[in-house]
Amino acid sequence: MTDENLIDALKALGHPLRLRIVEALRAGERNVGEIEQATGIAQPGLSQQLAVIRAAGLVQTRKAAKLVYYSLDQAVLAGLRDRIGTFAGTPTDKASAAGPPPTRHPATGVARFARLS
Amino acid sequence: MTDENLIDALKALGHPLRLRIVEALRAGERNVGEIEQATGIAQPGLSQQLAVIRAAGLVQTRKAAKLVYYSLDQAVLAGLRDRIGTFAGTPTDKASAAGPPPTRHPATGVARFARLS
DNA sequence: ATATATTTTCATAAATCGTGTATATGTATT
DNA sequence: AATACATATACACGATTTATGAAAATATAT
């Protein structure tokens, strides 16, 4: 990961709407309509922010019929985490750690219950 | 760490000059003149970027006579790393399921809503 | 082909950011 | 007090980003 890529990734995350989107994707892959429901971001703006996130390489996309499914690129995000880890005191011994560190908060997102009917 | 703090930290790091500054501080505490030498950023601009980094809570400062020493706040940076780790550390949902279009957990109503014509 | 659902792109005004120059605030030294 | 040095802030202004609504591209079904 080059410094420029790193900066793009950090910039992409350093924005309230985009952070909200990424948080909504933590629970798993979602299509644009689902992300819209989960985040409350109106459609065109959402697509714009998704484009930024995509350009930063933070997500993968998959197309199923009319729908486009977004999911976090965990390899890239792990790289980002490790890169920041080099700034934190502990020299990264977690670059090789396979298992996710303790906490997984499954319900952090508002995304869970998008009630429509 | 609130979302707003997180965003400020990410924004602070997502900038070439500021990233260079933080990288220069990785080796240990430095005063402004030393950072200027290490990064080649001219004094006023440097002070401005340091102010951003300071406001984001990424560094601690210590004053010795005329000199101001900056050092990375490793606790904050470790928190930042862990926070990003929550985006990276969730495999095994359907990450590798390249199979059929998703018909998933009942709570995500949007897709179902879209199909009910 | 026509209609419809989903997502992306365009356009533009408002806000924010980036950077250089000048100026200010401290703190020691004489 | 006056000087010198280290650091911080203020200001200005062009560049980038954001918000928002309209239009367009893509894919599917009838």
Side-chain angles (χ1 to χ4, degrees), chain A residues 11 14 27 34 37 69 74 86 100, chain B residues 11 14 89-90 93 102 104 110:
Chain A
K11 271 202 280 206
E34 290 171 333
Q37 290 294 324
Y69 282 87
Q74 307 195 332
T86 68
Chain B
K11 271 203 279 205
T90 69
D93 189 359
R104 292 177 319 246
V110 175

Side-chain angles (χ1 to χ4, degrees), chain A residues 3 6-7 10-11 13-16 19 22-23 26-31 33-34 37 62 64-65 67 69 72 74 77-78 80-81 83-90 92 94 100 103-105 111-114 116, chain B residues 3 6-7 10-11 13-17 19 22-23 26 72 74 77-78 80-95 97-102 104-105 107-115:
Chain A
D3 270 16
L6 174 61
I7 288 171
L10 291 166
K11 271 202 280 206
L13 286 178
H15 180 283
L19 183 63
V22 169
E23 278 170 349
R26 200 166 31 185
E29 97 176 339
R30 297 280 185 271
N31 65 47
E34 290 171 333
Q37 290 294 324
R62 177 175 70 87
L67 309 178
Y69 282 87
L72 298 180
Q74 307 195 332
L77 286 163
L80 182 59
R81 177 203 56 201
R83 195 72 190 274
I84 291 180
T86 68
F87 299 141
T90 32
T92 47
K94 40 184 4 149
T103 40
R104 250 225 74 198
H105 335 71
R112 266 300 155 87
F113 306 101
L116 288 179
Chain B
D3 270 16
L6 174 61
I7 288 172
L10 290 166
K11 271 203 279 205
L13 285 177
H15 181 284
L17 295 185
L19 184 64
V22 170
E23 277 169 349
R26 206 169 23 187
L72 298 181
Q74 308 195 331
L77 286 163
L80 182 60
R81 161 178 45 79
D82 293 342
R83 195 74 190 272
I84 292 182
T86 70
F87 298 140
T90 69
T92 69
D93 189 359
K94 85 267 310 329
R104 292 177 319 246
H105 335 290
T108 51
V110 175
R112 187 178 51 192
F113 171 81
R115 300 204 167 245

